[in-house]
């Protein structure tokens, strides 16, 4: 692991690191905020998954999480959204596929399957590295994300409910199998057999019997992608039918940007901290 940068923030440390990842067959970069409490004891870890076109840098620069994370004693881990590098296949003219658009799945179709294994990276290889190199209590994990990252957080939590104590999302893609934003990416990465998509679709996972303790979702009602890409009411209905507690908060006037995310970031951190025992 290489240290790209480290700087002091709210008596903790904001770092950026890179390492050669076996799952994605490329150098991966990620950010970690370590709160001051970690000097005394390992702290709970909260995973933040970013959305389409983003890297670890977007939430680090615009998410405004450090002050509250330092107060609550939360380690915040921010992975990248896809593999990157000259040898990594890409569609440079399509922002919904390729670099910045890994969708937190393990691609099965060539040539994508060589590198685009973000599900295994985020759930396996990176957590192992974090547990080895940082002062974290891996028995206390939570996960959240935005847009494509909200999709990732919901599906990862539903597929591994014993690992995470809590899960929340900002404007998630809840039903990618039927969303304009995601269908092409799913077909490209996973093939045309839509039955294989179900393991990465929050609504369909709930329909297939997957369960989680509870969810929190914030969604701006002025989000330009609300009707064709996000549609949180579909997940609300799936949770209602399945008895899964969900708090869906439609926030008047908010769009899809980090202005929206940063406004409600503190709410989400405190909600997770209460469930992590922080």
């Amino acid at each position: 692991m290489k240290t790209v940068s480290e700087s002091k923030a709210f008596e903790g440390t904001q770092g950026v690191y890179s390492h050669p990842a076996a799952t994605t067959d490329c150098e991966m970069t990620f950010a970690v905020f370590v709160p001051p409490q970690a000097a005394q004891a390992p702290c709970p870890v909260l995973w933040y998954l970013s959305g389409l076109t983003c890297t670890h840098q977007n939430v680090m620069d615009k998410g405004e999480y450090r002050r509250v994370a330092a107060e609550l004693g939360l380690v915040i881990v921010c992975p990248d959204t896809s593999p990157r590098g000259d040898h990594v296949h890409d569609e440079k003219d399509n922002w919904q596929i390729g670099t910045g658009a890994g969708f937190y799945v393990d691609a099965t179709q060539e040539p994508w399957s060589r590198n685009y294994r973000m599900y295994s990276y985020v759930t396996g290889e990176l957590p192992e590295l974090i547990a080895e190199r940082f002062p974290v209590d891996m028995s206390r994990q939570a996960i959240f994300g935005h847009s494509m990252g909200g999709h990732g957080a919901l599906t990862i939590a539903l597929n591994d409910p014993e690992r995470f104590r809590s899960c929340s999302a900002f404007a998630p893609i809840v039903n990618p199998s039927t969303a304009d934003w995601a269908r092409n990416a799913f077909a490209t990465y996973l093939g045309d057999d839509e039955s294989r998509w179900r393991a990465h679709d929050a609504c369909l996972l709930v329909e297939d019997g997957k369960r989680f303790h509870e969810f929190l979702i914030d969604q701006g009602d002025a989000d330009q992608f609300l009707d064709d890409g996000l549609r949180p009411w579909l997940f609300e209905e799936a949770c209602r039918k399945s008895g899964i507690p969900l708090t869906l908060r439609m926030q008047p006037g908010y769009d899809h940007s980090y202005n929206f995310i940063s406004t409600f970031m503190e709410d989400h951190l405190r909600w997770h901290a209460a469930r992590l025992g922080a």
Side-chain angles (χ1 to χ4, degrees):
M1 187 182 79
K2 302 175 185 176
T3 298
V4 177
S5 66
E6 285 185 337
S7 58
K8 188 173 183 178
F10 297 98
E11 303 305 317
T13 301
Q14 176 65 69
V16 177
Y17 310 93
S18 69
H19 72 117
T23 48
T24 59
D25 190 27
C26 69
E27 191 80 5
M28 295 294 292
T29 303
F30 61 95
V32 181
F33 175 73
V34 177
Q37 295 88 335
Q40 281 72 49
C43 293
V45 58
L46 178 55
W47 300 86
Y48 178 86
L49 305 185
S50 292
L52 283 161
T53 75
C54 292
T55 70
H56 67 282
Q57 193 81 33
N58 298 76
V59 69
M60 195 177 81
D61 289 348
K62 297 182 285 188
E64 301 183 22
Y65 58 82
R66 280 176 285 270
R67 177 184 61 81
V68 178
E71 173 194 332
L72 298 172
L74 298 174
V75 172
I76 311 293
V77 181
C78 309
D80 202 348
T81 55
S82 76
R84 298 178 193 270
D86 292 339
H87 73 286
V88 174
H89 192 69
D90 192 15
E91 288 193 8
K92 296 186 183 300
D93 296 327
N94 188 347
W95 60 276
Q96 295 174 322
I97 296 175
T99 300
F103 271 92
Y104 305 100
V105 302
D106 284 350
T108 59
Q109 306 301 299
E110 293 290 348
W112 307 94
S113 56
R114 175 183 174 185
N115 304 108
Y116 286 79
R117 302 184 64 239
M118 289 301 296
Y119 188 91
S120 290
Y121 176 72
V122 168
T123 62
E125 185 171 6
L126 184 57
E128 291 176 4
L129 182 64
I130 296 296
E132 177 184 343
R133 297 296 186 94
F134 294 89
V136 293
D137 179 356
M138 296 297 277
S139 70
R140 293 188 289 165
Q141 295 186 65
I143 191 167
F144 69 150
H146 170 233
S147 193
M148 179 185 72
H151 138 76
L154 296 178
T155 57
I156 288 169
L158 283 163
N159 279 311
D160 198 356
E162 299 306 314
R163 178 174 179 173
F164 301 98
R165 295 196 184 184
S166 53
C167 176
S168 71
F170 304 100
I173 305 171
V174 301
N175 190 200
S177 296
T178 64
D180 292 346
W181 260 24
R183 279 188 59 83
N184 191 28
F186 271 35
T188 299
Y189 295 148
L190 302 174
D192 294 330
D193 182 355
E194 295 189 18
S195 66
R196 297 180 179 178
W197 302 5
R198 300 184 73 89
H200 299 287
D201 185 307
C203 286
L204 298 182
L205 283 168
V206 171
E207 183 180 301
D208 289 345
K210 297 290 187 178
R211 298 294 180 264
F212 195 72
H213 333 303
E214 61 177 322
F215 294 104
L216 168 65
I217 292 177
D218 273 311
Q219 171 67 63
D221 71 1
D223 192 318
Q224 62 271 42
F225 306 111
L226 182 58
D227 292 327
D228 60 352
L230 308 174
R231 304 170 298 162
W233 50 83
L234 298 177
F235 191 61
E236 183 179 40
E237 178 63 13
C239 288
R240 185 192 64 78
K241 288 181 178 179
S242 302
I244 299 174
L246 164 65
T247 300
L248 171 60
R249 306 192 303 186
M250 297 299 298
Q251 303 292 358
Y254 284 92
D255 60 16
H256 200 69
S257 71
Y258 266 91
N259 294 324
F260 158 64
I261 298 168
S262 63
T263 299
F264 300 102
M265 178 64 77
E266 180 172 348
D267 287 358
H268 283 243
L269 294 182
R270 294 192 183 281
W271 187 83
H272 285 289
R275 288 150 181 81
L276 290 167

